């Protein structure tokens, strides 16, 4: 398995975390739900530093290497300031009472 992490600095981009939340609601969540080999994607934000990012967990190195439409970079107007690929050493899901992951977060499920 592989993990990828991307971070954007939104300062001066003309976009905010709130405007990118609209992108999540309107297209990103549904589009990434259909990506082959993607086990999990979650979007992250830090309003204090105006940073926006995503963490993706892939079933294989081949899946992680597939080209994806650069829609977030297109909207923000630049590539991420940081992009890293990691080998996944282990995974675990802890004990919890939450429902399944799809639809959780600040953006309500459709």
């Amino acid at each position: 398995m592989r993990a990828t992490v991307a971070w954007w600095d939104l300062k001066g981009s003309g976009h905010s975390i709130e405007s990118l939340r609209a992108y999540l609601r309107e297209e990103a969540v549904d589009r990434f739900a259909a990506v082959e080999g993607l086990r999990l994607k979650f979007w992250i934000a830090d309003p204090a530093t105006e940073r926006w990012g995503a963490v993706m967990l892939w079933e294989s190195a081949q899946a992680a290497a597939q080209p994806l439409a650069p829609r977030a970079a297109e909207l923000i107007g630049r590539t991420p300031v940081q992009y890293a690929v990691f080998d996944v050493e282990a995974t675990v899901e802890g004990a919890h009472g939450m429902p399944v992951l799809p639809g959780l977060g600040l953006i309500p499920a459709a």
Side-chain angles (χ1 to χ4, degrees):
M1 292 180 76
R2 289 283 172 95
T4 58
V5 180
W7 266 118
W8 279 268
D9 181 353
L10 297 179
K11 292 176 189 153
S13 72
H15 279 277
S16 65
I17 290 168
E18 191 57 42
S19 71
L20 291 170
R21 285 178 180 157
Y23 155 68
L24 290 181
R25 280 189 302 271
E26 294 165 8
E27 64 178 281
V29 170
D30 289 340
R31 183 165 54 91
F32 278 95
V35 172
E36 289 292 326
L38 180 63
R39 294 295 314 262
L40 174 68
K41 178 170 184 172
F42 56 95
W43 289 266
I44 51 180
D46 182 356
T49 60
E50 296 181 61
R51 292 189 304 166
W52 175 267
V55 178
M56 291 180 273
L57 180 63
W58 298 93
E59 68 183 10
S60 67
Q62 181 180 356
Q66 70 182 291
L68 298 173
R71 184 70 175 126
E74 187 179 287
L75 287 171
I76 296 167
R78 54 184 170 240
T79 58
V81 295
Q82 183 180 13
Y83 182 83
V85 180
F86 302 94
D87 290 328
V88 175
E89 300 293 334
T91 63
V92 67
E93 185 172 350
H96 60 80
M98 296 179 77
V100 296
L101 282 172
L104 297 180
L106 295 174
I107 305 300

